[in-house]
Amino acid sequence: MASDAGITSKIRVESLNKSFNVDGRRELVLDDIQLTVGEGEFVSIIGPSGCGKSTLLNIVAGLDSPDSGTVTFEGSPGVSALGRVGYMQQKDLLLPWRTVLDNAILGLELHGMPRRQARTRALELTEFFGLKGYESQYPYALSGGMKQRAAFLRTMLMDQEIVLLDEPFGALDALTRVQMQEWLLQLWDSLRKTIVLITHDMDEAILLSDRVYVLTHRPGRVTMVLDVDLPRPRSYEQVTEPSFARLKSRLLEPLREQKPKEAQGLAGKEGL
Amino acid sequence: MKDPTGEYASGHRGQGRIGSTLSKLRSWAAPVTILLGIVVLWELGVQVWDIPKWQLPSPSEIGQELASSRSLLLEHMLVTLEEIVLGFIAALASGLVLATAIAYSRILERSVYPIVIASQTVPIIAIAPLLLIWVGYGIAPKVIVVALICFYPIAVNTVDGLKAVDPDMVNMMKTLGASRWQVFTKLQMPTAMPYMFSGIKVGISVSVIAAVIGEWVGASAGLGYLITYSQPLFLTARVFAAIVVLSAMGISLFVLASVVERMMLPWYYTEKRANSIERM
């Protein structure tokens, strides 16, 4: 894709295919996926539910393997991403028997860092993650946004250069979601990680990303790659600007085109 | 088996400390009143109808018996307690080992687990006399009976707990670089803890009954033996005194298990309390 030129690619997905057994039939879920993420880039993948977005991210994270095709990290193919790539899901997946602080240091602990040292490191970051004063609370005492930030802290403490986010704000209410999006913008600005975000929120995709990949409904196929050339640093106010609206309408095209096919299954349940 | 989220939820109605103490008292008040009522009726009934002591001693006579033969009761209680403790430890150790093996091996789950479950239909009371033939009249057959009876709830609950792990949690651990062993120690074991304690509490409640069964079949000491020894002599008050001590033992062991559970799983109870307040 045009924008890749000159940037060293951090992740390269080539001709990736994946199918699952559904009711005894083999069903293609991901069809010939090509995807490139450069160093320090923020890339979003958007598509309707069931298009295989999460499967794609699981494969990139090393939790699943493709039927064919390759995933390459920093130019070395065939290396498992497990433990080398940060991965965060929609569910916060905090361990209920650990305090916020001890949840945050889980990854460091698994890699053999002494608890005391790991805690000191986590404590330096709790303020930025909005968790100051809640370090010794158990997860049940936290709000949805705080739990998600605690999960973020756990992911970020691993200090991996690549971070995969699977609808991290999907379970939050609209207001909290906007706050978290602005917060993530700040986080990315200061840390400059390579981020791949899965979402089905178009505003979120445009606001956060350098590039948006649009996937079709099953089988998931890349139907559009949209470069987002909005100036940075960005803020949520930009959502109402004409340039933002133009990008959104371009993004809407391929998503709208899929509607008729999808609608067969939904039997006219919704009109766009 | 019992779902570990089901118990105790109603005990935490109050909001503040005083509120929760009051509600705790209120929850104790009803059963205690009923129990006291039964004791009073019993006492009155025995006196009104003039029932002989060998037939049915009154609660006050049982109280006197408890006081007068306390050293005898203590001596036999220690024997029974030893059987229970040894049997329980054996059940706990073997139950946890087998549960781990079953949770990890599909072959064992398909082959051994059904046998474990089916074994519950074998009446232990019928096996107890055979144990005498095989291992003699000492403490061993009682310990084995206790272990056999406690083993089942501990093993089955722990298997359930080890399998109750959220697969997404496992994936999360893997992406953080966890080894299989780390997934087990840092995720599966803590997840299984509340389940295991449910099994322990069920097991420890029936362990007293198990020890008495073991002693009835053939023994020379223990509270169960004291009962079988006193009954033909029409020392009915002593039989009742032994029963009172046995019940007290059972209740104390259960309370002990609950206290240990609360100390080991502080997160579990605070989380449940928070949920039950939210639900109101």
Side-chain angles (χ1 to χ4, degrees), chain B residues 61-99:
Chain B
E61 284 165 335
I62 296 168
Q64 279 164 21
E65 179 65 31
L66 276 168
S68 62
S69 44
R70 59 180 180 279
S71 62
L72 180 77
L73 287 166
L74 183 71
E75 184 195 322
H76 288 282
M77 187 193 88
L78 288 177
V79 173
T80 306
L81 190 63
E82 191 188 354
E83 295 160 2
I84 290 171
V85 170
L86 292 176
F88 180 78
I89 290 171
L92 186 63
S94 55
L96 294 186
V97 168
L98 191 76

Side-chain angles (χ1 to χ4, degrees), chain A residues 49-231:
Chain A
S49 352
C51 71
K53 301 179 295 238
S54 294
T55 308
L56 177 57
L57 218 57
N58 276 340
I59 292 172
V60 174
L63 289 169
D64 206 342
S65 50
D67 295 341
S68 63
T70 55
V71 180
T72 318
F73 290 100
E74 292 155 343
S76 45
V79 181
S80 172
L82 280 181
R84 304 199 315 138
V85 169
Y87 185 22
M88 202 184 125
Q89 286 170 283
Q90 183 175 342
K91 291 200 269 179
D92 57 72
L93 298 174
L94 297 173
L95 304 177
W97 52 86
R98 281 178 172 242
T99 61
V100 169
L101 195 63
D102 285 351
N103 261 296
I105 63 164
L106 179 63
L108 297 178
E109 207 183 304
L110 293 174
H111 284 264
M113 185 185 283
R115 274 197 190 198
R116 182 173 302 219
Q117 192 187 338
R119 284 187 185 132
T120 315
R121 230 165 105 182
L123 279 170
E124 288 165 14
L125 290 169
T126 47
E127 176 140 34
F128 183 76
F129 282 76
L131 297 165
K132 203 162 184 63
Y134 290 87
E135 292 91 346
S136 53
Q137 297 278 355
Y138 288 108
Y140 71 86
L142 270 58
S143 67
M146 290 182 85
K147 281 184 201 170
Q148 214 56 15
R149 283 199 298 270
F152 256 111
L153 179 53
R154 178 179 62 199
T155 311
M156 293 303 173
L157 268 175
M158 298 298 288
D159 207 22
Q160 273 129 353
E161 285 171 56
I162 301 170
V163 178
L164 311 175
L165 306 172
D166 188 356
E167 296 192 47
F169 312 132
L172 303 176
D173 63 86
L175 223 61
T176 313
R177 187 154 60 218
V178 171
Q179 282 168 1
M180 292 289 287
Q181 286 163 358
E182 292 206 296
W183 176 82
L184 181 59
L185 273 174
Q186 263 184 50
L187 181 76
W188 182 76
D189 273 337
S190 57
L191 298 176
R192 288 288 156 171
K193 304 266 184 199
T194 304
I195 294 185
V196 180
L197 169 83
I198 280 186
T199 182
H200 49 227
D201 180 338
M202 282 189 289
D203 286 348
E204 184 171 292
I206 298 169
L207 181 65
L208 299 174
S209 316
D210 295 314
R211 202 158 62 247
V212 182
Y213 285 78
V214 182
L215 291 196
T216 54
H217 189 70
R218 218 164 263 203
R221 201 178 285 130
V222 178
T223 138
M224 182 186 197
V225 183
L226 180 75
D227 284 307
V228 181
D229 44 12
L230 298 174

Side-chain angles (χ1 to χ4, degrees), chain A residues 255-256 259-260 262-264 266-272:
Chain A
L255 289 169
R256 202 202 287 266
K259 268 294 161 198
E262 230 184 308
Q264 290 170 358
L266 296 168
K269 234 180 172 180
E270 51 182 323
L272 201 110

